[in-house]
Amino acid sequence: MLNTSPALEFKSSTFFAPILILYTNDLTAIEQTLHEKINLAPEFFKDSPLIIDLRELNKQNLSLDFSQIIQLLRRASFFPVGIRGGNENQNQQARALFIPIDTVREQGSTLMIGAEATKQETAPQPATQPEIAAAKEPVRPVPIPPVSAAATLVTQPIRSGQRIYASGDLIILSQVSAGAEIMAEGNIHVYNTLRGRALAGVHGNTAARIFCFDLQAELISIAGDYKTSEDLNKQIYKNPVQIYLQNHALIIKEIA
């Protein structure tokens, strides 16, 4: 009897990796600062994939031995999986080390196709008299409601070592164990004990919030700003709280 099952298949997935932005080519300073960051949340950074952003470095015309920075990161238990903002020489070094080049997803880059591209390439036409008159009228902003992906509901406990990612809000009805990691592009709601690591607004949504009934987290983060368990006020520990971002500072308030 022939085996008709496929040998493999591809599935779309959302992959989250921290981005390391380099501002200096001083390897000693990079290594020292890196270890300081790791010591704040060792479990969060352990064996983590990493994308290296070289744009700030290249704005200063600073050279970099790419092989040395890769070795440094691997010694610190990181796994570099991409490079962005590199020049041609840096990209060649990355390819030689089998590090992919991330070009399309760089911030500020825009890819236009079809009608949008045609519209951009069309020469501007002189404005008509009605258009000129309309331009003098004050522009009244029209409120646009935010569009978010459907919420993800999880009813089972999140065990140590598990990772959950939601493209919208993430709602969890059971406990999140120590060593687990939950991530969402929107808000996170945990109607139980929150241990482990919780990262909301992972694509830069600074309006995202984290809600939980019992805060015992190893790390909490919103849009890249984070606090570890050592930074948490013991008065709000093990209490129902909401967490939000204000001027790049995480605010934690009890829910009455």
Side-chain angles (χ1 to χ4, degrees):
M1 184 175 178
L2 295 176
N3 183 4
T4 58
S5 61
L8 56 82
E9 66 176 330
F10 286 99
K11 288 188 177 181
S12 61
S13 175
T14 305
F15 177 72
F16 171 77
I19 297 172
L20 178 68
I21 303 173
L22 295 178
Y23 295 94
T24 178
N25 60 356
D26 185 338
L27 294 177
T28 301
I30 291 172
E31 186 167 24
Q32 180 180 346
T33 307
L34 198 62
H35 283 294
E36 290 174 356
K37 296 287 186 183
I38 292 172
N39 288 336
L40 292 174
E43 289 302 317
F44 174 69
F45 291 113
K46 184 180 179 182
D47 298 332
S48 174
L50 198 68
I51 294 174
I52 305 167
D53 191 320
L54 300 176
R55 287 174 293 183
E56 295 298 327
L57 199 68
N58 288 327
K59 284 180 184 178
Q60 305 173 62
N61 295 318
L62 296 175
S63 61
L64 180 72
D65 189 321
F66 196 73
S67 62
Q68 287 190 0
I69 193 67
I70 293 297
Q71 292 173 17
L72 186 156
L73 292 171
R74 287 174 175 165
R75 286 198 304 270
S77 297
F78 285 103
F79 290 88
V81 295
I83 173 180
R84 64 168 56 170
N87 56 37
E88 186 56 36
N89 180 49
Q90 291 162 344
N91 289 346
Q92 287 179 0
Q93 293 183 60
R95 291 188 189 99
L97 294 168
F98 303 102
I99 304 294
I101 313 300
D102 183 0
T103 55
V104 175
R105 291 184 291 272
E106 287 184 3
Q107 291 180 1
S109 65
T110 304
L111 179 63
M112 293 182 293
I113 58 176
E116 285 298 319
T118 304
K119 183 170 66 176
Q120 292 293 328
E121 292 169 1
T122 304
Q125 300 297 321
T128 63
Q129 289 299 323
E131 288 172 339
I132 294 173
K136 294 180 180 179
E137 293 294 324
V139 178
R140 294 179 177 86
V142 178
I144 301 175
V147 178
S148 60
T152 299
L153 176 64
V154 179
T155 60
Q156 301 297 321
I158 312 300
R159 294 183 171 83
S160 179
Q162 286 186 305
R163 282 189 169 189
I164 303 294
Y165 190 102
S167 56
D169 285 4
L170 177 59
I171 303 171
I172 299 175
L173 303 183
S174 193
Q175 69 175 0
V176 179
S177 299
E181 185 171 67
I182 55 175
M183 297 173 284
E185 296 178 22
N187 304 305
I188 291 177
H189 304 257
V190 179
Y191 296 103
N192 208 301
T193 300
L194 171 58
R195 300 184 180 92
R197 300 176 290 277
L199 299 86
V202 293
H203 282 187
N205 180 6
T206 56
R209 296 193 177 207
I210 299 172
F211 304 87
C212 70
F213 277 1
D214 179 6
L215 179 64
Q216 301 184 39
E218 299 166 9
L219 179 141
I220 51 174
S221 170
I222 295 178
D225 289 290
Y226 66 90
K227 282 186 177 182
T228 63
S229 58
E230 292 81 4
D231 302 322
L232 298 180
N233 187 331
K234 297 306 177 184
Q235 291 181 344
I236 52 89
Y237 209 64
K238 297 186 178 182
N239 284 322
V241 299
Q242 65 164 318
I243 304 159
Y244 59 92
L245 199 58
Q246 189 175 78
N247 298 324
H248 293 285
L250 285 182
I251 307 300
I252 307 174
K253 284 189 174 181
E254 285 191 54
I255 299 175

